Amino acid sequence: EMSQLEKVPDVDIDAGIFKYVYIRVYEDDGGDDRNEKDIVRGYNFAEYHADIYDRTDGEIQDLGLDCECLGGGRIIHKPEEKYIKVYGYSMGFGRANHQRSVEILKTKYPDYNIEWSDEGY
């Protein structure tokens, strides 16, 4: 049976150019064990990085889990070219670990060309 943590998709992003956030989700079972996973979320609707985090935080809490935002940036996603670029930063949350974000994105898009840069905003 899947745990609540396993029910959370690693990646959920739109196509286009949009803000994204890097979020750590954890299941606090009261003991010393804190099961956790890192996820990437990016949507066109978001004017601010916090818009994405707030929406995702609500979904996570509905599953009885907790989460924190570990940074943000921007994503260019061109499905027709199987291309993703991760770059930039969030004024509110700081710069995400884009290299780690790419590793997570590759779990959903293994056949894509995915690159990252610390340039831009």
Side-chain angles (χ1 to χ4, degrees), residues 47-60:
E47 188 174 352
Y48 302 102
H49 288 90
D51 297 337
I52 305 171
Y53 179 68
D54 289 346
R55 177 164 130 182
T56 307
D57 183 43
E59 295 167 357
I60 298 298

Side-chain angles (χ1 to χ4, degrees), residues 5 11 19 32 37 49-50 55 60 72 92 97 101 110-111 120:
L5 202 57
V11 175
K19 292 181 168 76
D32 291 334
K37 72 186 276 184
H49 288 90
R55 177 164 130 182
I60 298 298
N97 182 337
S101 295
D111 56 340

Side-chain angles (χ1 to χ4, degrees), residues 46-85:
E47 188 174 352
Y48 302 102
H49 288 90
D51 297 337
I52 305 171
Y53 179 68
D54 289 346
R55 177 164 130 182
T56 307
D57 183 43
E59 295 167 357
I60 298 298
Q61 292 205 24
D62 285 346
L63 291 170
L65 303 170
D66 289 307
C67 64
E68 57 185 325
C69 186
L70 299 182
R74 290 177 185 264
I75 288 177
I76 300 171
H77 180 198
K78 300 178 177 177
E80 68 285 352
E81 296 173 30
K82 295 193 171 183
Y83 173 80
I84 292 174
K85 181 172 183 179

